[in-house]
Amino acid sequence: MFSLLNFLPSVTTVILTISSLSLYVIYFLKKRYTHWERRGVPHVRPIALFFGNTKDLALQRVPNAFVFQRIYNELEGHDFGGFYQMFKPAIMLRDPDLIRTVLIKNFSQFHDRFSIIDEKLDPLSNHLLNLAGQRWKNVRYKLTPTFSSGKLKSMQDLMQGCIHELADYLSRCVSDVQNLRELMAKFTTDVIGSCAFGLNCNSIRDENSEFRRIGRLIFKPSKRIRIRNMLRSLGPKLITLLRLKSVHPEVEDFFMSVLKEAVKYRESSALKRNDFLQLLINIQTEEKKQMESNGCHQSVTSNGVSNGIQNGNACTTTNNPKDILFTDSVVASNAFVFFVAGFETIAMTLSYCLYELALNPEICEKLKDEVDSVKEAHDGNLDFDSMKELEYMDAVLAETLRKYPPASILIRRCNEAFCVPGTSVVIEEGTGVYVPVYGLHHDPQFFPEPERFIPERFSQENKHTIVPGSYLPYGDGPRICIGMRFAQYEMKSVLSYLVSNFTFHPCEKTVVPLNYDPRSGLLTPLDGVWVRLQRRSNP
C-alpha cells in the first residue's frame, strides 16, 4: 500500500497542474478574444467565455436568424466587422457592395463553405452544398441542365397531378382549420418525389406516409446535431472521431434503399424519365463509357464507390474517389439533398405566404384578380409560360422571402488572403465570412417598415430601388440556389390554385407574430402555422 501511494500525485502537484492548465486556457482565450482589437478591426466584444458572441446559438436558446441579426445591428455604422463564433474569429459583412464583391466579383477567393465530407461516416454528405473548389464547379455544371425551361415545362403534368391530389384532400377535410406548415410539407414532398424521382410519396392522401415521416425525422432537432454543430466550430476532426453522423441512420438507410430500388427498376424496365434522377443516372453512365473508351479500369472501394482516373490516354485503377466526378456517393448525395431542399424550404415559404394572405385579405384578393385575369387571357389555362405574366404573385413571393428567408445566414470560407477594398484590413485564409440575410432583409435602411408585409416593394415600378446585395433569399453569385426556378414554378403553380379557390383567415390557433424554433438551423415556425381556409362560392 505504501509503495502505491508513492506513485499517486501529491495534492500540490494536482493543484499546480490544474492552475497551469487554467492559466493556459485563460491566456489562449484572451489572445483569441483580442484578435480583432489587435488588428484594428471594428468588432463586437465577446459576451461569454468560450462561446464568444454565439452563446444563445450554441445553447439553442435563440434562433440563429436573431443571433446574427443582433451582431449585425451592433456593427451598425460599419461596412463589416469582427465577432467570435465560439472562440473562432469571424467576419460579418454589412455593406451590400462588399457582399457582392465576396459572393460574385471575388468569388474565387470565397468559393467554399465550411463543410465536412466523410463518405465512410456520411455516405450522403458528398453533395453540391458541401463540395468545394473545382469538384463543386464540375458537378454544378453538369447538374444545371436539370432546371432549364424545357425540363420545367415537362414537369407541368406531374405538378398538376400533385395539385389535384391537394384539391381532393381539401374537399374531404372535416375541419377548415389547417396547419399550413404540415399541409404544404405534404404537398411539396409529393411534388419533389414525383417531379424529381418518379416516386409516389402519397404524403397528401396517407397521414402515415413513410416519406412524410422520414421528412419530419430529417429536420427533427436532436442532441446529436446540437453536439455536432458545436464540434464543427471547435474541431471538425472530433466529429469523425466520435462518429457523429449528419443524417439520422434511419433516414440514411431509408433513402439509400429507396434510391437503389428506383435505379434498379429503371435499369431492368428500360424506363426513361425526364427528371433529376434520370439526369444523374445519365451523367454517371456517360462518365463510365468515357472511362472505358480510354481504357480505364474501374474498382470498387469498401463503401461501394466506383473509381478510376484518366491521365491523358492512360488510365489506372485507384482507390481515390475524388478522381471520379459522379461516383455512386455523389449521385446518392445530390439526390438526397435535392429531395430535402425541395420540400422543406418551399413548404415553409408557402406557409408564410398563406399566413400573410390571411392577415392581409386585400393582398389575397388582388392576387386572385391577377390569376383570374391571366387565366382569362389564355382561355382558362395557366401553364409554365403564362405564369410568367403573374407579376404581382412574383412580388408577393419576393416579399415573403424577404420577411421570412428560410436560410437566414450565408457562410463562406476565405480560401486565400483578401484585402478588404478601401482598407488595410486583410481577411486571413481560413476565416469564416458571414452574410446576415435576415439582418439585411429587416434593416429599415434597405426596407422601410421591415416588419410590414408590402409586396409593392418588388413591383415592376419599385423593384429597381432594391439595393443589389441587400436582398439574398437564394444567395448570390455562382453558388446561388440551383433549384431557384423550380421552386418559383412550384410555388406559383400551387398558389394560383389556392387563391382561386379559397380565402384565408386567422383562427383561434393563429399566432401573431409567429414564434420560431431556436433548435432549427432554418427559420422554422414553432408549433406550426395555423389559419382557416374558406372555399370561395364562385372560384
Side-chain angles (χ1 to χ4, degrees):
M1 176 66 69
F2 177 77
S3 60
L4 178 62
L5 289 174
N6 288 337
F7 286 99
L8 292 176
S10 65
V11 174
T12 302
T13 302
V14 171
I15 293 174
L16 286 174
T17 301
I18 294 175
S19 299
S20 298
L21 287 173
S22 299
L23 287 172
Y24 175 77
V25 170
I26 292 172
Y27 169 78
F28 172 79
L29 291 176
K30 183 177 180 181
K31 185 176 180 180
R32 281 282 180 164
Y33 289 148
T34 59
H35 177 89
W36 296 122
E37 185 177 357
R38 286 183 282 114
R39 285 161 175 76
V41 176
H43 60 280
V44 179
R45 292 187 177 277
I47 58 176
L49 190 68
F50 183 75
F51 291 105
N53 300 107
T54 55
K55 181 179 180 179
D56 289 336
L57 180 64
L59 300 181
Q60 296 185 332
R61 300 192 302 200
V62 178
N64 64 0
F66 303 137
V67 170
F68 290 112
Q69 184 189 34
R70 184 195 71 225
I71 297 171
Y72 174 86
N73 290 337
E74 289 183 21
L75 289 169
E76 185 176 2
H78 302 285
D79 291 344
F80 64 94
F83 71 101
Y84 298 92
Q85 171 75 29
M86 301 289 281
F87 57 75
K88 285 191 174 182
I91 282 280
M92 177 170 286
L93 308 182
R94 299 185 82 262
D95 175 62
D97 286 336
L98 181 56
I99 289 170
R100 285 172 61 81
T101 294
V102 166
L103 297 182
I104 305 174
K105 184 179 178 181
N106 288 83
F107 173 77
S108 62
Q109 291 170 266
F110 300 93
H111 51 72
D112 297 339
R113 297 186 173 101
F114 283 90
S115 303
I116 301 170
I117 298 178
D118 187 331
E119 292 181 31
K120 291 184 178 180
L121 177 63
D122 279 315
L124 298 177
S125 65
N126 222 347
H127 53 70
L128 202 58
L129 294 181
N130 284 345
L131 292 177
Q134 189 63 37
R135 199 166 188 227
W136 163 82
K137 184 177 180 180
N138 293 342
V139 171
R140 170 98 183 195
Y141 175 77
K142 290 197 173 186
L143 292 182
T144 298
T146 311
F147 306 99
S148 66
S149 295
K151 288 287 198 305
L152 294 178
K153 285 181 182 180
S154 70
M155 298 176 185
Q156 182 168 303
D157 289 343
L158 296 173
M159 191 83 71
Q160 289 303 314
C162 294
I163 291 175
H164 290 156
E165 287 290 325
L166 177 64
D168 181 64
Y169 169 82
L170 291 174
S171 69
R172 294 183 285 105
C173 275
V174 176
S175 173
D176 56 356
V177 173
Q178 290 286 334
N179 179 359
L180 296 175
R181 172 79 178 81
E182 182 62 21
L183 179 64
M184 290 296 98
K186 290 178 179 179
F187 169 75
T188 56
T189 298
D190 280 358
V191 168
I192 200 66
S194 178
C195 293
F197 304 106
L199 301 173
N200 180 14
C201 297
N202 205 29
S203 297
I204 295 175
R205 283 184 176 273
D206 183 4
E207 289 292 329
N208 299 310
S209 163
E210 189 70 358
F211 278 92
R212 184 66 197 113
R213 185 184 73 81
I214 290 295
R216 294 190 193 100
L217 186 57
I218 290 173
F219 289 95
K220 183 180 180 181
S222 68
K223 289 183 179 179
R224 171 180 53 84
I225 293 298
R226 179 180 176 180
I227 294 172
R228 196 177 193 277
N229 289 338
M230 289 182 66
L231 290 180
R232 180 184 293 189
S233 297
L234 296 175
K237 291 184 179 179
L238 291 172
I239 293 174
T240 302
L241 183 65
L242 296 175
R243 309 294 296 168
L244 292 173
K245 285 178 169 287
S246 62
V247 177
H248 193 288
E250 186 178 353
V251 172
E252 181 184 298
D253 292 342
F254 173 82
F255 194 84
M256 294 293 280
S257 175
V258 167
L259 185 64
K260 182 179 179 180
E261 288 301 316
V263 172
K264 183 178 178 181
Y265 175 74
R266 293 192 186 199
E267 290 176 345
S268 62
S269 64
L271 175 66
K272 299 289 184 181
R273 289 176 57 94
N274 197 19
D275 59 15
F276 184 67
L277 179 57
Q278 191 63 52
L279 175 72
L280 291 172
I281 294 172
N282 293 346
I283 292 173
Q284 188 179 54
T285 300
E286 286 301 315
E287 282 193 350
K288 289 179 179 179
K289 286 181 179 179
Q290 185 177 4
M291 288 165 58
E292 291 169 0
S293 68
N294 289 317
C296 178
H297 303 287
Q298 291 190 42
S299 65
V300 179
T301 62
S302 59
N303 63 350
V305 178
S306 300
N307 293 296
I309 58 172
Q310 179 182 340
N311 183 12
N313 293 322
C315 196
T316 58
T317 300
T318 182
N319 284 324
N320 183 6
K322 292 184 179 180
D323 294 318
I324 295 299
L325 197 56
F326 275 78
T327 63
D328 293 344
S329 174
V330 171
V331 170
S333 298
N334 281 288
F336 171 73
V337 78
F338 187 57
F339 175 81
V340 172
F343 84 83
E344 181 68 8
T345 56
I346 298 175
M348 284 198 294
T349 302
L350 286 168
S351 302
Y352 291 136
C353 182
L354 295 172
Y355 169 80
E356 287 291 346
L357 295 184
L359 300 181
N360 301 278
E362 71 284 356
I363 294 176
C364 187
E365 291 309 302
K366 186 174 179 179
L367 197 54
K368 177 188 181 298
D369 290 344
E370 181 185 60
V371 172
D372 290 346
S373 176
V374 173
K375 279 185 178 179
E376 185 177 351
H378 294 272
D379 300 321
N381 296 318
L382 200 58
D383 58 18
F384 178 81
D385 291 319
S386 58
M387 281 186 193
K388 296 176 183 177
E389 299 175 27
L390 296 173
E391 294 179 355
Y392 188 64
M393 184 175 287
D394 285 331
V396 169
L397 286 170
E399 177 67 349
T400 302
L401 288 165
R402 179 201 66 79
K403 191 172 179 181
Y404 308 96
S408 56
I409 190 81
L410 301 177
I411 306 174
R412 295 290 184 270
R413 180 182 185 276
C414 182
N415 299 109
E416 60 179 271
F418 174 78
C419 184
V420 178
T423 76
S424 59
V425 175
V426 174
I427 301 177
E428 299 170 359
E429 180 180 348
T431 303
V433 179
Y434 288 66
V435 179
V437 176
Y438 189 89
L440 289 161
H441 287 195
H442 288 256
D443 188 337
Q445 176 186 354
F446 304 120
F447 301 99
E449 299 181 275
E451 298 309 316
R452 287 189 58 200
F453 190 78
I454 310 173
E456 285 71 22
R457 302 181 203 269
F458 297 92
S459 67
Q460 293 297 316
E461 297 78 17
N462 296 329
K463 65 181 183 180
H464 70 277
T465 64
I466 304 296
V467 177
S470 68
Y471 179 69
L472 303 163
Y474 297 101
D476 206 348
R479 273 197 182 262
I480 195 169
C481 175
I482 194 173
M484 177 176 64
R485 296 179 69 206
F486 176 85
Q488 292 171 337
Y489 176 42
E490 179 179 352
M491 291 190 291
K492 291 173 77 170
S493 295
V494 70
L495 279 178
S496 297
Y497 159 72
L498 289 171
V499 299
S500 293
N501 291 274
F502 297 91
T503 55
F504 308 91
H505 310 273
C507 63
E508 62 277 5
K509 291 186 176 181
T510 304
V511 176
V512 183
L514 288 169
N515 298 315
Y516 303 100
D517 190 344
R519 301 167 300 171
S520 174
L522 302 175
L523 191 65
T524 304
L526 191 64
D527 301 323
V529 180
W530 295 85
V531 303
R532 174 175 285 107
L533 277 67
Q534 183 175 334
R535 187 172 292 276
R536 294 182 184 272
S537 55
N538 294 302

